[in-house]
Amino acid sequence: MILIKGGTVVGPTGPYPADVLVVGEQVAAIFAPDQGPQEGDFETIDATGKYVIPGGVDAHTHMELPFGGTFASDTFDTGTRAAAWGGTTTIIDFAVQRTGEVVQDGLAAWHGKADGNCHVDYAFHMILGGVDDESLKAMDTLVTDEGITSFKLFMAYPGVFYSDDGQILRAMQKARDNGAMIMMHAENGPAIDVLVKQALERGETDPIHHGLTRPEALEAEATSRAIWLAGVAADCPLYIVHLSASKALEQVAAARDLGRNVFAETCPQYLYLTLEDQLGAPGFEGAKWVCSTPLRSKHETHRADLWKGLRSNDLSVVSTDHCPFCFKDQKELGIGDFSKIPNGIGSVEHRVDLLYQGVVDGKLSLGRWVETIATTPARMFGLYPKKGIIAPGSDADIVLYDPAARTRIGVETHHMNMDHSAWEGYEIAGKVDTVISRGRILVKDGAYHGAKGHGQFVRRGLSDYLI
Ligand SMILES: [Zn+2]
Ligand SMILES: [Zn+2]
């Protein structure tokens, strides 16, 4: 048993002083201050001056993802350990059905990578690399038998993960029937491929051209098309992943104003980093920030609009899209050709901190911070109330967060398997102090007490947000 005493519990509705009793793997009770058990066989953790928040739920990670001839550099072991250090106690990773592969085989391969290797609990979405009769049937099986209730499709990456509009519509109709969520990578891939080819022909090979050949219009257009297609599929639940651009956000907001089952996430990189300052760094340096959708221009309103979208709930979730690649030998594959740079940024360790900075900066309330990093992703993807909340009966996934401490991010201190950090030198307010996963202390007093194999696969139900 653990008694977390003297802290300020923060839930989605805001902060209140309370003591939290953990028995076994679950939260047993929440007490008014000092009203809990006074003595007994339990460990007391002093949370004075700290926020006591539900462990983070990162609904978008890619451990060991094969991409562009290489693999994302974090394994489930290193990636979930880094997540734990950063206060994230559940990840939802993307299992992959490669084109031509049987869906269940792709899923089995992902279970094989993760099983016994995770430090925190994990669940899977399924990427459908090919929509056909067989994979449509598999969608039903995954929802009913495997606890996988969300499917990612790509309007980008022709020849790799791309689905055409007809395939997308069929998958959406299936999701409408079985209650699953369609997650969409909304960028117009065929049009982007034309711009990439033209840029390379002009000799424009530096990393910044990755961003310049993926203009906002092609994210907004694809977002709009996905929303219209979901409408044709009788308002199939649709979740736009890694939304980065103002005009894409406008499409989501308009659909939500109509009461549609349309949701979206953004990622920390789009809230803070820019096309000019990072992707446009001199020489090949910008490769560190090649991700899709790309970082947007600081001369436009994207970042301010995304923060506003988080407040207004047009953006419901902040995930990382954690897809780390080392600079050496991985990002370097694209020297002389930006289109060969593996796409991805590693942030699984930093999401809780980076969003707390939004609280310090007056952009989010404390309750909204917890909601966007933990409660809403849990509810969105059928993990609630097991995850995403501190409540009696919920898993004891708890983070003590110290608002008086500071975090300095960099390759010297992070735990991700990366030889650089997209956030090098960022010094921000607040610090993850203690991390508990299903009643087990993983991080305390700057030391790590977790182990691989502690993390368990979690079967998910349907989204809480659908009627
Ligand atoms: Zn994507
Ligand atoms: Zn992704």
Side-chain angles (χ1 to χ4, degrees):
M1 291 203 293
I2 301 173
L3 183 66
I4 301 167
K5 209 168 152 39
T8 301
V9 174
V10 186
T13 52
Y16 58 98
D19 299 342
V20 178
L21 181 67
V22 172
V23 176
E25 297 195 343
Q26 295 182 329
V27 174
I30 300 173
F31 296 97
D34 300 325
Q35 299 300 304
Q38 299 301 312
E39 56 189 80
D41 184 20
F42 53 81
E43 177 181 353
T44 301
I45 298 179
D46 181 7
T48 306
K50 313 238 165 64
Y51 295 127
V52 181
I53 65 172
V57 177
D58 190 340
H60 191 156
T61 69
H62 299 285
M63 307 303 172
E64 303 178 41
L65 178 76
F67 190 98
T70 186
F71 286 84
S73 58
D74 266 320
T75 61
F76 279 90
D77 178 2
T78 63
T80 56
R81 185 171 177 274
W85 272 105
T88 287
T89 52
T90 308
I91 63 163
I92 314 180
D93 202 85
F94 286 83
V96 178
Q97 174 218 10
R98 283 171 305 197
T99 311
E101 187 181 42
V102 175
V103 172
Q104 283 89 343
D105 290 349
L107 175 60
W110 243 256
H111 275 299
K113 291 174 202 251
D115 188 23
N117 288 320
C118 291
H119 293 244
V120 299
D121 287 353
Y122 62 100
F124 293 139
H125 312 287
M126 191 82 215
I127 286 175
L128 295 180
V131 175
D132 55 23
D133 291 346
E134 204 182 343
S135 55
L136 288 168
K137 221 180 291 165
M139 286 174 72
D140 283 336
T141 314
L142 263 57
V143 169
T144 53
D145 299 347
E146 304 286 352
I148 291 167
T149 55
S150 41
F151 298 88
K152 185 177 180 190
L153 299 170
F154 289 79
M155 302 170 104
Y157 304 128
V160 188
F161 292 132
Y162 177 77
S163 291
D164 66 29
D165 291 350
Q167 291 174 310
I168 289 169
L169 181 61
R170 291 186 76 197
M172 286 176 162
Q173 289 170 332
K174 174 57 78 178
R176 176 72 264 186
D177 288 346
N178 67 23
M181 180 79 77
I182 293 294
M183 307 174 78
M184 190 63 75
H185 181 127
E187 285 186 298
N188 186 325
I192 286 168
D193 280 5
V194 169
L195 296 181
V196 168
K197 186 162 176 287
Q198 291 170 345
L200 290 172
E201 280 167 4
R202 287 192 298 268
E204 297 166 353
T205 61
D206 284 347
I208 194 168
H209 296 287
H210 170 80
L212 298 175
T213 54
R214 308 180 89 91
E216 174 181 32
L218 296 182
E219 184 184 347
E221 183 274 332
T223 303
S224 166
R225 182 156 38 98
I227 291 168
W228 281 107
L229 287 168
V232 172
D235 200 17
C236 144
L238 174 67
Y239 179 96
I240 306 291
V241 294
H242 50 56
L243 188 147
S244 71
S246 297
K247 287 193 165 56
L249 178 58
E250 281 174 22
Q251 306 301 319
V252 170
R256 291 181 59 77
D257 287 349
L258 293 171
R260 293 278 308 279
N261 285 322
V262 174
F263 310 93
E265 70 176 13
T266 191
C267 313
Q269 52 267 36
Y270 308 118
L271 294 166
Y272 288 100
L273 310 179
T274 66
L275 178 86
E276 293 83 4
D277 291 339
Q278 277 81 27
L279 195 54
F284 190 65
E285 183 84 3
K288 293 174 182 172
W289 294 280
V290 164
C291 58
S292 297
T293 54
L295 302 183
R296 299 294 177 190
S297 174
K298 67 177 176 183
H299 303 302
E300 297 163 353
T301 58
H302 307 289
R303 286 177 297 172
D305 288 343
L306 295 179
W307 282 110
K308 211 187 312 170
L310 282 176
R311 286 195 294 280
S312 67
N313 204 33
D314 287 328
L315 294 170
S316 309
V317 170
V318 179
S319 308
T320 56
D321 197 3
H322 177 75
C323 195
F325 294 99
C326 287
F327 196 76
K328 192 168 165 27
D329 297 339
Q330 293 199 301
K331 290 287 186 180
E332 283 178 354
L333 291 169
I335 292 176
D337 179 351
F338 68 85
S339 72
K340 301 236 160 38
I341 301 169
N343 286 203
I345 284 180
S347 301
V348 74
E349 190 170 347
H350 306 312
R351 186 183 60 123
V352 172
D353 288 321
L354 287 165
L355 269 290
Y356 180 69
Q357 185 64 34
V359 177
V360 174
D361 293 343
K363 290 170 172 159
L364 294 180
S365 68
L366 275 174
R368 189 63 184 155
W369 169 51
V370 165
E371 206 171 22
T372 53
I373 61 166
T375 314
T376 300
R379 296 189 65 194
M380 186 69 71
F381 294 110
L383 289 165
Y384 187 90
K386 182 177 169 66
K387 306 294 187 187
I389 190 85
I390 296 176
S394 294
D395 280 357
D397 293 358
I398 298 173
V399 172
L400 271 60
Y401 199 80
D402 184 355
R406 294 183 73 75
T407 298
R408 191 180 160 82
I409 303 179
V411 69
E412 294 302 324
T413 49
H414 75 199
H415 301 85
M416 301 177 291
N417 184 33
M418 293 177 75
D419 62 0
H420 67 280
S421 170
W423 307 91
E424 188 65 46
Y426 258 70
E427 185 165 341
I428 50 182
K431 191 177 195 332
V432 171
D433 178 88
T434 301
V435 180
I436 300 171
S437 161
R438 276 186 291 105
R440 174 173 177 163
I441 295 171
L442 302 187
V443 177
K444 192 166 186 289
D445 301 326
Y448 191 72
H449 306 283
K452 72 175 187 176
H454 168 76
Q456 294 178 349
F457 177 69
V458 185
R459 290 167 185 273
R460 295 184 293 115
L462 300 180
S463 175
D464 268 11
Y465 288 106
L466 303 175
I467 28 168

